Amino acid sequence: MPRRFLRRSLLTVLLLPIILLGLFAIYQNRHVIFSENSSYHHHHNEHDSHFLYKTIPYNKIRQHFDSRRLTIDNSLSSKIFKNEEQPVKNLPKTSEIPSPSNILNNNQQINIINSNQEILPLQYHKPILKVIETKNLQRFVHLDLKGAAPKIIYYETLFPYLKQLGANGLLIEYEDMFPFTDNLSILRHDLAYKKNDIEKILQLAEENNLKVMPLLQVYGHLEYVLKLKEFMHLREDKRYPQVITPCLEESYKLLFNMIDQLLSHHPSIPYLHIGCDEVYYRLIHPKCVDLHFRDETDLFIR
């Protein structure tokens, strides 16, 4: 018994330093050992990823990215597959590696300085946006005159100032400040502009090289019309005065009459803005059922 214990003790004393030395040698050369394993693992993953690409349906282009950071290997060339068959593009070993979004959109790219530089995740890439040439853009100032329209004398100071700021047009939304006449005179506010006031505004705009585009709402934002008892029956929803129904012929007669009077006071305008924003209620009027609209898109196509 003592001899057996002595032999085990001697073997332990002799083998333990050898094992420790082996572990220390592995630790000292860990970079070389694990880089070779990772290279094999990268080859293996790339091979497996080819099978993943072949299982991607539809006409989408995807590229396999490992969850860890990837490094460029000189012995490899990235491949991107489309649909289920042949490769679309083989990327050579160059200093510029495009991202998958760059293949669909040329607004993004990754510049690789050398083959050992790491590729950052896509969310860290900064898109390259095209510069918009602003010299030829039309800069219109929206004058919303409902509620608190200024006096004409105020425009004599305002228009030169807008010109100085770089504006070259006016988008004028009169609403009840427009001098409607005849059967539309009930739409007019008590302090509405008169015909000669409109002429003065157009004259001041021309003197300051400001184009004029009137804005007349034809769908939503018609509270100043539909709040009146004479036109309440034209509401899309009888509870609210914002939206006029497109399902009654009378709605179009009213709107065309308003447009004709507006154009008669602006004979030389090249454009007319018809609004159509913030239409919250659509095709809920009882008469809309008789017109058999397929959907809301059909409403505008007709």
Side-chain angles (χ1 to χ4, degrees):
M1 191 71 179
R3 293 182 179 180
R4 184 179 299 176
F5 178 78
L6 181 61
R7 285 198 297 269
R8 290 180 180 178
S9 300
L10 290 175
L11 288 175
T12 303
V13 172
L14 293 174
L15 293 177
L16 183 61
I18 297 174
I19 294 174
L20 293 177
L21 288 175
L23 292 175
F24 181 76
I26 293 174
Y27 176 79
Q28 291 293 332
N29 297 278
R30 64 186 184 280
H31 298 291
V32 177
I33 297 173
F34 290 113
S35 64
E36 293 176 356
N37 292 335
S38 63
S39 176
Y40 169 78
H41 183 67
H42 181 75
H43 280 276
H44 183 67
N45 283 348
E46 184 185 12
H47 177 72
D48 291 343
S49 63
H50 292 173
F51 292 95
L52 291 176
Y53 299 147
K54 295 182 180 180
T55 60
I56 297 176
Y58 310 111
N59 294 328
K60 293 183 179 180
I61 300 176
R62 301 182 182 180
Q63 187 173 10
H64 177 70
F65 281 93
D66 195 354
S67 59
R68 299 172 298 176
R69 291 184 176 180
L70 301 180
T71 56
I72 304 301
D73 191 347
N74 288 332
S75 63
L76 299 178
S77 61
S78 300
K79 294 183 180 180
I80 298 175
F81 283 80
K82 180 181 179 183
N83 295 336
E84 301 179 354
E85 299 179 356
Q86 68 231 359
V88 174
K89 186 177 181 181
N90 290 329
L91 302 181
K93 297 177 291 183
T94 60
S95 61
E96 184 175 345
I97 308 296
S99 66
S101 58
N102 191 26
I103 299 174
L104 299 176
N105 189 342
N106 291 328
N107 291 337
Q108 291 185 348
Q109 64 178 3
I110 310 170
N111 293 325
I112 305 300
I113 298 176
N114 55 61
S115 60
N116 294 322
Q117 184 172 350
E118 295 181 348
I119 301 178
L120 295 177
L122 289 178
Q123 60 266 28
Y124 297 108
H125 298 162
K126 293 183 178 180
I128 301 175
L129 303 178
K130 293 182 180 180
V131 178
I132 300 176
E133 181 58 56
T134 60
K135 293 182 179 180
N136 297 325
L137 292 179
Q138 299 294 309
R139 295 174 288 276
F140 278 70
V141 177
H142 182 197
L143 300 180
D144 193 349
L145 303 181
K146 61 177 178 288
K151 296 181 178 180
I152 301 301
I153 192 174
Y154 175 73
Y155 295 124
E156 297 178 359
T157 304
L158 177 64
F159 288 177
Y161 180 65
L162 295 178
K163 177 185 177 181
Q164 182 180 0
L165 292 177
N168 49 25
L170 302 170
L171 180 65
I172 304 179
E173 186 174 4
Y174 293 102
E175 288 211 357
D176 56 358
M177 290 302 295
F178 186 80
F180 291 107
T181 60
D182 301 330
N183 62 323
L184 298 182
S185 58
I186 58 176
L187 303 178
R188 190 176 61 220
H189 193 276
D190 294 338
L191 300 177
Y193 293 140
K194 297 178 173 57
K195 180 179 180 181
N196 58 344
D197 293 331
I198 302 297
E199 293 175 351
K200 182 64 175 178
I201 292 175
L202 297 178
Q203 178 186 347
L204 292 172
E206 184 178 1
E207 291 175 357
N208 290 277
N209 296 322
L210 297 173
K211 301 176 184 178
V212 174
M213 182 191 303
L215 192 161
L216 180 65
Q217 299 285 351
V218 299
Y219 203 173
H221 290 301
L222 285 171
E223 294 89 347
Y224 73 102
V225 178
L226 301 177
K227 70 180 181 181
L228 303 173
K229 62 179 181 180
E230 291 84 355
F231 303 108
M232 290 178 64
H233 63 286
L234 298 180
R235 295 179 179 181
E236 180 68 16
D237 189 324
K238 63 181 181 180
R239 299 171 297 176
Y240 309 110
Q242 287 90 347
V243 181
I244 194 170
T245 179
C247 301
L248 292 176
E249 186 68 23
E250 189 177 349
S251 298
Y252 298 96
K253 292 180 180 179
L254 171 63
L255 294 172
F256 291 155
N257 194 0
M258 295 171 64
I259 292 174
D260 289 340
Q261 292 197 23
L262 185 69
L263 293 178
S264 65
H265 287 71
H266 301 79
S268 60
I269 59 171
Y271 303 103
L272 171 65
H273 199 304
I274 61 174
C276 292
D277 63 312
E278 297 181 346
V279 182
Y280 298 116
Y281 321 105
R282 296 179 293 275
L283 301 180
I284 61 175
H285 192 278
K287 288 294 182 180
C288 294
V289 178
D290 301 334
L291 298 178
H292 305 290
F293 287 107
R294 293 171 296 181
D295 50 31
E296 294 180 357
T297 305
D298 189 29
L299 167 66
F300 292 96
I301 292 177
R302 290 192 188 182

